[in-house]
Amino acid sequence: MRRLADVQKMRVVEVDDRKPPVETVETEVVIVGGGLGGVAAALAACQAGRSVCLIEETQWLGGQATSQGVTALDENGYIETTGAARTYQALRNAIRDDYRRNTKLKPAPAADPHFNPGRNWGLLAFEPKVALRVIDEMLAPHLVAGKLHVLKRTKPFAVSMKGPRIEHVDLVDLDTGRRCRAKGIMFIDASELGDLLGLGAADFVTGAESREQTGE
């Protein structure tokens, strides 16, 4: 039996790993972690014509921007022009457009392409539910097309290696206990803490580098 942390419900879930899962999800790209990085990877892969399985252990995609409530993101001073990737710019613009559609704005902020809904110290602050809605809308065409599979409240509990490459990842639904196996050509660990590394996908070390190494 394996014991997994359910971070959303703050409990420990036991998983029977003595028998392999009978259900298999097979795509070209398997992404573990549905934060902003995982969502961006899923969008890029789908736009490149690849089939994708996106796995997130909480109920919401988006990580910091949604379930973690850090909705005044740490951004650079050039974020509105050249300081961000195209997809991230699209996310930020879509958040502003959501407020334009669904709230009453005064004429000045409504016309300002860079208005800040939260009016805080940051460049863009917003409600988590708005970011969640926008992320779901960005992924929706790929879900409808059948190129994207999203498994929420699902967590990896075992990794199978073939030489230096991941062969498959075994997953469990944290609510039902139902297990499945994700197979793919490429695996991306976009989790907060390197979940696949911890399951044996690669050698790793923990902790910070010493002052002697970095001079910091």
Side-chain angles (χ1 to χ4, degrees):
M1 299 288 286
R2 288 184 182 262
R3 293 164 62 85
L4 303 179
D6 181 349
V7 297
Q8 182 173 337
K9 295 189 176 180
M10 299 181 66
R11 60 175 182 163
V12 173
V13 175
E14 291 192 341
V15 183
D16 186 352
D17 60 350
R18 291 170 293 184
K19 294 182 180 180
V22 296
E23 185 179 348
T24 299
V25 177
E26 190 162 358
T27 56
E28 293 172 281
V29 182
V30 177
I31 303 170
V32 175
L36 289 178
V39 169
L43 283 168
C46 288
Q47 290 163 0
R50 305 301 180 184
S51 57
V52 178
C53 179
L54 178 60
I55 301 154
E56 166 56 32
E57 64 179 295
T58 70
Q59 189 62 39
W60 285 13
L61 297 174
Q64 282 192 334
T66 58
S67 60
Q68 295 177 21
V70 188
T71 54
L73 302 177
D74 188 9
E75 298 176 327
N76 64 76
Y78 301 97
I79 196 71
E80 304 291 3
T81 53
T82 60
R86 185 182 297 112
T87 302
Y88 187 63
Q89 291 284 25
L91 171 70
R92 298 174 85 256
N93 291 334
I95 288 171
R96 287 171 167 137
D97 287 340
D98 186 281
Y99 279 97
R100 292 186 181 99
R101 290 194 307 269
N102 298 308
T103 61
K104 290 184 178 180
L105 298 175
K106 292 182 178 180
D112 182 2
H114 299 153
F115 91 98
N116 183 356
R119 298 181 62 188
N120 71 333
W121 53 266
L123 298 171
L124 178 66
F126 47 87
E127 297 163 279
K129 64 181 182 181
V130 173
L132 177 64
R133 186 160 57 232
V134 167
I135 287 170
D136 287 344
E137 289 172 356
M138 293 176 76
L139 293 174
H142 306 293
L143 285 164
V144 172
K147 300 297 290 184
L148 174 63
H149 302 270
V150 177
L151 303 179
K152 299 176 184 176
R153 296 285 298 144
T154 300
K155 189 164 184 171
F157 66 87
V159 170
S160 176
M161 304 295 296
K162 188 173 183 179
R165 300 182 66 86
I166 296 176
E167 189 173 34
H168 62 255
V169 176
D170 288 343
L171 312 165
V172 63
D173 185 306
L174 294 170
D175 293 323
T176 67
R178 187 175 182 177
R179 300 175 303 143
C180 70
R181 176 165 290 176
K183 291 185 175 181
I185 299 171
M186 175 182 290
F187 290 81
I188 298 174
D189 189 334
S191 63
E192 286 286 316
L193 300 174
D195 291 354
L196 298 186
L197 294 177
L199 293 174
D203 294 334
F204 66 97
V205 295
T206 60
E209 298 87 349
S210 69
R211 186 172 296 174
E212 286 76 14
Q213 288 177 284
T214 63
E216 297 177 352

